[in-house]
Amino acid sequence: MSITPNNVIADSHDVGKNTEEPLPLNDPFAGNSSLGSGSGTSIISTDQTGEREEMSLYNFKLVGVISGSIESYVSLVNASGEIITLQLQEELSDGVKLVDMTLNEAVFQKADGTYMTINFKNKIKETDEF
């Protein structure tokens, strides 16, 4: 013998009302510009061509630094949300190799012997030495 309820009571004070407001979508790669402040993230570059390859450091944001006594890694994310994790001495692209890191930035060496640093504020600097 099964028992079925005769009366079901539910709180119905929100019937027919949509009490939730839609949240604005923020682009994590837009810096502060998605918040309406008008000041975006600045990138320091000596690149004259303006064209950047898909695997260029300029297409990534630094999202993690993992430093250990034996191995160390950095994690980068691109605009489509793909995460790339590199170990020290591993190349991001041809001629761009991760050579050092601190708690706040990653240092890459280019094939021409110059260096690029990226930090968590997405500031990329090119320099002759680090």
Side-chain angles (χ1 to χ4, degrees), residues 20-35:
E20 294 183 25
E21 295 181 21
L23 296 174
L25 298 177
N26 293 329
D27 182 0
F29 294 92
N32 293 335
S33 64
S34 64
L35 300 175

Side-chain angles (χ1 to χ4, degrees), residues 67-119:
S67 181
S69 59
I70 298 174
E71 296 178 355
S72 297
Y73 302 90
V74 298
S75 290
L76 305 166
V77 66
N78 64 14
S80 64
E82 295 177 58
I83 297 174
I84 295 177
T85 302
L86 299 173
Q87 186 176 2
L88 274 176
Q89 305 305 318
E90 191 173 353
E91 287 189 342
L92 173 64
S93 60
D94 288 336
V96 179
K97 179 173 52 171
L98 177 65
V99 293
D100 198 12
M101 67 185 68
T102 67
L103 292 176
N104 299 320
E105 69 182 4
V107 180
F108 292 84
Q109 185 176 21
K110 295 176 15 178
D112 63 2
T114 60
Y115 298 91
M116 297 174 70
T117 61
I118 183 171
N119 65 19

Side-chain angles (χ1 to χ4, degrees), residues 4-63:
T4 57
N6 292 332
N7 294 330
V8 177
I9 300 172
D11 186 12
S12 62
H13 66 9
D14 288 335
V15 173
K17 296 180 186 175
N18 185 2
T19 59
E20 294 183 25
E21 295 181 21
L23 296 174
L25 298 177
N26 293 329
D27 182 0
F29 294 92
N32 293 335
S33 64
S34 64
L35 300 175
S37 66
S39 62
T41 304
S42 63
I43 296 176
I44 300 169
S45 170
T46 58
D47 185 14
Q48 300 294 327
T49 63
E51 296 180 11
R52 298 185 176 112
E53 299 175 17
E54 181 179 329
M55 292 301 291
S56 169
L57 187 59
Y58 290 96
N59 294 330
F60 291 92
K61 289 187 93 168
L62 180 65
V63 293

